[in-house]
Amino acid sequence: MPSFRLQGFQSVVRGNSHLLRHQQRRWAQVHDVRFLASHHDPKYVFEKYRSKLDQKAKEEGHDSVESLKEAYTEKIKELRRKASTPATPEPGAPTSTTTVPGTPPAFKAPPPPQESRIAKAARAVSSDSSPVKALSSYLDIEKVRELPVKEIEALWRLRFAENPYAITAVIPLDTYNRIMHAGRENPQFILPLPRPQTAEEAEQSPEGAVGTVADIHFLQWAFHPPAEGSTLSPSNSHTSTVIFTNLAAYKMHGSFAQPHTTLTHHLDLADEKGLVLMHGQIMPEGGVSAPQATWLVSCLQRFYDFEGQAAGRKSELVRMFTRGDVQNFKVEELVEEAEKLP
């Protein structure tokens, strides 16, 4: 029986309804330290330090504090200019802050919402202006349409054969549709990734024996409009992506966590050939090897094919996670189900 790292895990499941299922952006309330420290009554500050200012004026040969201030005017302006930032501009300097119509001028509108991390991950893989890359960027679709299914499958795999960070699959359309519908209803889930236990972990385990542990990884589905150049029919007019992130990294960095694997499903041949071509890209510095990423992708089908491989307890675990059912969702059972062959 594998051992697991469960610290903080239940809080993820318990908070799934607001943290995972409907991830929201909250505008942080930022307090300008310089603003809080310097906005006092000028007369109070002047009276407090009058004696020291008088002494400084006499030491430098000035008749009064006013004369001292005139002598330091240019130097004060220069220091203010060097210390100014976009958040704390120099007093009197013009600003480019956008205000919301109908609100007081002092109210600043929040910055526009940032692109979702899923779109960013897909865009990083595509290296394109579109969140996902069109199938036509990999294959000559018009020529491929004339080929039999077996040759299309072989050609798709050969297309990425020399890329050590690529994963490919050819999915029957009916299988994809079952998985896709489950993904729409359950857009987030976690999957275990078994690995050998280190000597240090073995010493900390109750048995003290070296075995296996399971690192937990977080997945997210997203559905995009067709990529530019795609040839999709109205019945299959989307492109879907799935990103995988180490759960520990996601809990630490939230939406800023870097995904290690991104899957893209292309439906250009779905109607004519009954196939969906899947391309997976592994981030070289993501900390996951190709065999490990392949395991996670296989688990995706085993847990999301509700009417096929996932019929029974696997689909129940997915639904419990979506509901945030921390009482019945057990990570030990998740690992056991992941290791069961279909």
Side-chain angles (χ1 to χ4, degrees):
M1 166 65 76
S3 59
F4 330 99
R5 296 183 181 182
L6 302 181
Q7 183 177 5
F9 171 75
Q10 287 190 340
S11 64
V12 174
V13 181
R14 185 181 296 111
N16 186 39
S17 60
H18 62 76
L19 173 63
L20 301 180
R21 188 178 182 186
H22 301 296
Q23 189 175 347
Q24 299 177 350
R25 296 181 179 87
R26 295 180 174 86
W27 304 113
Q29 184 179 5
V30 180
H31 296 280
D32 183 354
V33 176
R34 184 189 301 184
F35 178 89
L36 296 176
S38 61
H39 282 238
H40 299 288
D41 185 353
K43 293 183 179 180
Y44 170 80
V45 176
F46 182 78
E47 293 298 331
K48 183 177 180 181
Y49 295 99
R50 172 179 286 277
S51 61
K52 292 184 178 180
L53 289 172
D54 288 336
Q55 182 180 353
K56 181 68 175 177
K58 292 178 181 180
E59 290 176 354
E60 297 196 8
H62 295 281
D63 297 333
S64 63
V65 174
E66 285 71 19
S67 176
L68 178 66
K69 289 171 59 178
E70 291 178 3
Y72 276 83
T73 298
E74 294 301 324
K75 186 175 182 178
I76 292 172
K77 288 182 179 179
E78 179 65 17
L79 290 173
R80 283 178 174 174
R81 186 186 63 79
K82 291 180 179 180
S84 65
T85 67
T88 56
E90 180 182 359
T95 62
S96 57
T97 302
T98 302
T99 58
V100 178
T103 60
F107 180 82
K108 297 182 180 180
Q114 296 180 353
E115 185 179 37
S116 72
R117 65 190 290 268
I118 299 180
K120 284 183 178 179
R123 193 184 301 281
V125 172
S126 68
S127 300
D128 201 330
S129 58
S130 172
V132 292
K133 219 172 185 181
L135 183 62
S136 58
S137 62
Y138 301 113
L139 300 174
D140 187 329
I141 298 179
E142 296 307 317
K143 291 183 179 180
V144 168
R145 292 184 197 279
E146 302 172 0
L147 300 176
V149 170
K150 291 295 183 183
E151 292 187 20
I152 294 175
E153 292 180 2
L155 185 64
W156 182 242
R157 292 185 171 90
L158 286 172
R159 174 64 179 79
F160 301 96
E162 297 182 358
N163 185 348
Y165 300 108
I167 306 173
T168 60
V170 179
I171 308 171
L173 180 59
D174 57 346
T175 301
Y176 170 78
N177 282 335
R178 295 197 303 267
I179 297 172
M180 178 267 294
H181 288 307
R184 286 188 183 275
E185 296 175 357
N186 307 272
Q188 299 169 333
F189 191 53
I190 56 173
L191 291 172
L193 179 61
R195 63 171 175 79
Q197 189 179 29
T198 65
E200 182 180 354
E201 289 170 339
E203 291 177 0
Q204 298 175 358
S205 65
E207 298 81 4
V210 176
T212 59
V213 295
D215 291 332
I216 306 300
H217 293 257
F218 178 52
L219 71 85
Q220 292 176 282
W221 282 84
F223 297 89
H224 313 276
E228 186 176 351
S230 297
T231 55
L232 304 185
S233 68
S235 59
N236 293 300
S237 58
H238 73 273
T239 303
S240 67
T241 58
V242 183
I243 66 170
F244 294 86
T245 310
N246 186 288
L247 180 62
Y250 183 81
K251 285 180 64 61
M252 181 177 295
H253 302 291
S255 61
F256 296 99
Q258 177 66 40
H260 58 69
T261 304
T262 302
L263 307 181
T264 304
H265 300 96
H266 300 280
L267 280 74
D268 301 67
L269 304 176
D271 292 326
E272 297 167 84
K273 301 295 182 178
L275 300 176
V276 175
L277 303 185
M278 187 274 287
H279 169 231
Q281 184 67 35
I282 306 167
M283 305 304 172
E285 304 298 328
V288 173
S289 66
Q292 290 173 326
T294 302
W295 164 268
L296 291 173
V297 174
S298 68
C299 281
L300 175 68
Q301 178 175 351
R302 280 184 283 183
F303 278 89
Y304 272 83
D305 189 1
F306 286 1
E307 299 175 20
Q309 298 182 30
R313 192 57 180 170
K314 288 183 174 65
S315 61
E316 291 178 15
L317 287 169
V318 175
R319 293 188 176 102
M320 282 191 291
F321 184 85
T322 301
R323 296 195 302 267
D325 187 355
V326 70
Q327 297 299 324
N328 296 306
F329 187 96
K330 305 299 181 184
V331 69
E332 295 87 352
E333 187 176 6
L334 173 71
V335 176
E336 290 176 2
E337 290 294 329
E339 293 178 340
K340 290 180 182 178
L341 296 177

